Amino acid sequence: MIRRLYDWTLALAAGPRAPAALGSISFIESSVFPIPPDILLIPMVIARREKAWWYALLCTVTSVAGGILGYVIGMFLFEQLAVPILTFYGKMGFVEEFKEIYHQYGWWFVFIAGLTPFPYKVITIASGALGLSLPVFVAASIVSRGLRFFIVSGLLYLFGPPIRDFIEKRLGLMFTVFVVLLVGGFVLLRYV
C-alpha cells in the first residue's frame, strides 16, 4: 500500500498539474493548512531534478504570498479567523506572551518560524495581530522561506539519485519516520 502511494505521489509530482498543486499547498500552508509543502516538493524534485530551482522559487513566492494572507487575517480578522486557528494549534497564549517583545524581535520570530518545523502560519497571523511592520515581515519571510525551500531543493538536486534509491529501498521506514515526525511536531507544538 505504501509503495502504491509513493508511486502515485511520484507520478503526480511529474504530472502537468504538480506545480499548481505545489503552489496551492505552499500558499494555504502559510496561513491555515497544517501540512507543509515539502510533502509534494520533495517527490517533485526527485521526479524532475532539472526543475529543482523552479520548484523552490514557486514554493518561496507562494509561501510568502500565503504568509501575507495570514498577516491580513491577524490584522483584520483576528477574532473571526485568527482566534480559532491559533486555538486549534494551541498557540493562543503565544500572542499574549510575546506581545511586549514582538516588535523588537519580530524579524527573528518570522525568520526562525520560516526555517523550522514551528508552524509558520502561527507567526504570520501573530505578526498581523501584533502589528509587525509589513515590510519587515515580508523581508524576513522571503529570506527564511527562500532558504528553506532552496536548501531542500538543492540537496535533492545534488544528491537526487542516491536519495531516491535510499527512500525507495526503505519506503516503509521513511513513511513511518515521516508520520512520527508529523504527529510528534503537532504534539510538541501543543505542549511547547
Side-chain angles (χ1 to χ4, degrees):
M1 181 178 102
I2 294 171
R3 169 54 83 179
R4 283 196 309 259
L5 179 61
Y6 175 76
D7 290 339
W8 177 82
T9 304
L10 281 181
L12 173 68
R17 290 186 225 150
L22 178 63
S24 298
I25 289 171
S26 182
F27 179 83
I28 62 171
E29 181 270 338
S30 295
S31 51
V32 294
F33 194 60
I35 307 296
D38 306 71
I39 192 94
L40 196 52
L41 175 64
I42 292 168
M44 286 176 67
V45 174
I46 288 173
R48 300 191 67 189
R49 283 178 58 215
E50 74 279 2
K51 297 229 175 203
W53 311 118
W54 160 241
Y55 295 150
L57 178 63
L58 177 63
C59 265
T60 301
V61 169
T62 55
S63 180
V64 172
I68 293 170
L69 174 62
Y71 185 96
V72 168
I73 288 170
M75 180 169 271
F76 297 110
L77 301 170
F78 187 76
E79 291 297 322
Q80 298 87 348
L81 294 175
V83 169
I85 292 168
L86 292 171
T87 302
F88 174 80
Y89 287 105
K91 293 298 176 187
M92 194 56 216
F94 171 82
V95 175
E96 293 305 318
E97 283 179 42
F98 292 102
K99 198 175 219 176
E100 299 299 319
I101 61 170
Y102 203 80
H103 285 280
Q104 186 176 359
Y105 299 106
W107 193 93
W108 287 106
F109 284 113
V110 175
F111 180 78
I112 290 167
L115 282 175
T116 65
F118 186 87
Y120 175 64
K121 66 200 73 32
V122 172
I123 294 296
T124 68
I125 293 168
S127 294
L130 298 174
L132 181 67
S133 162
L134 184 59
V136 168
F137 170 79
V138 170
S141 294
I142 290 169
V143 172
S144 65
R145 297 309 262 183
L147 276 172
R148 176 180 170 176
F149 297 129
F150 276 90
I151 287 171
V152 168
S153 295
L155 289 172
L156 290 167
Y157 179 82
L158 291 173
F159 304 109
I163 286 178
R164 185 176 186 160
D165 291 342
F166 178 84
I167 290 171
E168 289 178 354
K169 287 179 184 172
R170 295 162 186 85
L171 198 53
L173 174 64
M174 298 304 294
F175 180 77
T176 302
V177 167
F178 174 76
V179 169
V180 167
L181 288 173
L182 184 64
V183 171
F186 281 112
V187 169
L188 182 64
L189 175 64
R190 194 76 149 151
Y191 297 104
V192 171

